[in-house]
Amino acid sequence: MKIGLLYSLSGAQAEMEQSILDGALLAVHEINAAGGVGGAELQTAIFDDRSQVSLTAHGIDHLCRTESVDAVVGGYTSASRVVMIPAIHANRTLLMYPTYFEGEETDRRVFYCGAAPNQYLADYLDWIATNLGRRVYIVGSDYIYPRVLAEAIRRFGDRWDISVAGAWHAPLGETDFTAVLADIARTRPSVVICNLVGVDSTTQFYTQFHDAGFEPATLPIAATVTTAIDLAHMPPEVSDGHFMVATYFSALESAANSAYRRALEEIRGRRHTHSAQVGAYNAVHALGLAAELAGSTATAAIADALLGVRFDGNPEGLPFYFRSDHYSAHPAYVGRAAGGTYEVVEEFAPRLPDPWWSESRSLIVPR
């Protein structure tokens, strides 16, 4: 079996997406160390789209037509996923998309390895309303994921008596937040929900927020995308005390996570860990198990087999498997930044995915 890995390994998204690739490559190493797939070594081909969505579809074509891969694990931003899907169909292959995202999509050639909003945002909003405040200001990058999440907060916020004091979306890579900080000071929210994507934007927003005199004790940031990689670019006095929701944090205490972190350091070196990286790790393991189950690398056989496999080594703390709509089950946690990492302060019950989030209280997954 040969898997294509498509990530931005140069350009603005390189640090984040290299870290996601690390998770995929760790899984490849583990599968091959255990004997490979069908007794043969699992092979990979890597394509760097250089943080340019205009190159992403070309990357799918290259991996499928030149490298002859059997499936692709790749993408980080929703913009890249949207571009990949037509190329996935044109090449009659499968995409394993590793990260949590905005949902509102199903595709027979895509397997969603990260959470839908009802699996992380619904309980987070409840927690925010109870613990931080009910008047929120939304800050995000100006593309699909932050826009859809902002709309979901507006649409469902009244279930928790949440009101939106204001919303502001910046171009990817924006580093000047003077205007939005002035508006936050004017509107006086009780919490800022941050959906900014990218180290440059996130670091500058948190830094300028701190420099403007805002403190987490009185105006906390509740983020959905500020990972450990972002925290590493900020001094603790800038990030400490702010919050983040995720389906995985490195601080999770479980045998699976301890094994994952230890193996990642041994095989890939010291790395920051986060949800999208774990998603890529789970995706590769699921593909390996599916190929073994199918006894074939034919696309249809792999797609059918993916619905019947279960990976028990998921560092999130829940066995990893797909439902019939190609979405997967996930727990969710709230982390509080402390000393450049996150300490887990709340755990939510794992919920079944609802891609279009018709119910905020989706079914709880039995452990």
Side-chain angles (χ1 to χ4, degrees):
M1 186 178 198
K2 189 174 186 179
I3 297 176
L5 303 171
L6 196 161
Y7 290 104
S8 299
L9 305 179
S10 56
Q13 294 292 339
E15 185 176 11
M16 169 58 74
E17 299 201 28
Q18 174 64 62
S19 74
I20 303 174
L21 177 63
D22 286 332
L25 292 177
L26 173 59
V28 171
H29 172 85
E30 291 179 343
I31 291 168
N32 286 338
V37 175
E41 186 173 272
L42 180 62
Q43 298 179 319
T44 62
I46 299 173
F47 185 89
D48 173 15
D49 70 6
R50 294 182 281 177
S51 302
Q52 298 178 36
V53 173
S54 60
L55 295 178
T56 305
H58 170 69
I60 298 293
D61 290 342
H62 171 80
L63 290 170
C64 294
R65 300 174 188 179
T66 302
E67 298 289 350
S68 300
V69 302
D70 298 302
V72 176
V73 177
Y76 173 56
T77 66
S78 290
S80 69
R81 186 192 72 257
V82 168
V83 168
M84 281 192 285
I85 290 176
I88 289 290
H89 279 267
N91 287 284
R92 299 182 179 181
T93 191
L94 302 175
L95 171 65
M96 311 289 284
Y97 183 62
T99 188
Y100 64 96
F101 73 121
E102 71 279 355
E104 301 196 3
E105 173 186 298
T106 55
D107 191 286
R108 62 187 176 87
R109 291 189 178 274
V110 182
F111 285 81
Y112 302 92
C113 305
N118 78 293
Q119 295 173 291
Y120 62 93
L121 185 59
D123 285 315
Y124 194 35
L125 291 176
D126 190 0
W127 184 87
I128 287 170
T130 301
N131 295 279
L132 304 182
R134 301 177 187 273
R135 183 171 164 80
V136 307
Y137 195 106
I138 304 169
V139 177
S141 299
D142 193 5
Y143 77 103
I144 304 167
Y145 167 83
R147 286 283 187 181
V148 173
L149 254 62
E151 177 57 30
I153 294 167
R154 290 184 184 278
R155 192 167 68 225
F156 295 111
D158 59 358
R159 297 181 181 182
W160 303 280
D161 294 324
I162 289 175
S163 63
V164 178
W168 189 86
H169 290 85
L172 281 167
E174 179 62 69
T175 57
D176 183 358
F177 296 96
T178 305
V180 66
L181 291 172
D183 200 41
I184 289 171
R186 180 185 64 82
T187 55
R188 301 173 64 84
S190 50
V191 58
V192 174
I193 297 180
C194 180
N195 302 322
L196 287 168
V197 176
V199 168
D200 291 344
S201 292
T202 305
T203 301
Q204 284 302 311
F205 177 72
Y206 277 68
T207 300
Q208 292 170 35
F209 187 87
H210 175 267
D211 291 346
F214 297 120
E215 297 290 340
T218 53
L219 183 58
I221 296 172
T224 68
V225 205
T226 306
T227 71
I229 289 177
D230 299 294
L231 294 187
H233 288 262
M234 310 176 202
E237 61 266 23
V238 166
S239 60
D240 278 4
H242 294 301
F243 299 93
M244 166 71 174
V245 68
T247 57
Y248 169 86
F249 287 108
S250 63
L252 293 178
E253 295 183 0
S254 70
N257 187 38
S258 295
Y260 174 76
R261 293 181 61 194
R262 183 169 56 251
L264 186 69
E265 183 169 348
E266 290 174 356
I267 305 306
R268 302 298 298 161
R270 294 188 67 87
R271 295 289 193 273
H272 294 294
T273 56
H274 54 87
S275 295
Q277 181 190 77
V278 167
Y281 175 78
N282 290 338
V284 173
H285 271 292
L287 280 173
L289 290 170
E292 288 281 4
L293 179 63
S296 169
T297 57
T299 300
I302 293 293
D304 288 343
L306 279 168
L307 298 178
V309 300
R310 168 184 165 128
F311 174 52
D312 291 324
N314 178 10
E316 291 178 346
L318 185 73
F320 181 77
Y321 63 93
F322 292 105
R323 292 173 55 79
S324 59
D325 59 6
H326 292 195
Y327 279 72
S328 44
H330 298 273
Y333 307 89
V334 178
R336 179 172 55 208
T341 188
Y342 285 108
E343 56 184 13
V344 177
V345 297
E346 187 66 77
E347 177 180 357
F348 304 129
R351 296 191 181 276
L352 296 178
D354 180 358
W356 282 273
W357 195 3
S358 58
E359 295 291 339
S360 68
R361 294 299 189 197
S362 302
L363 293 175
I364 293 176
V365 180
R367 285 187 181 271

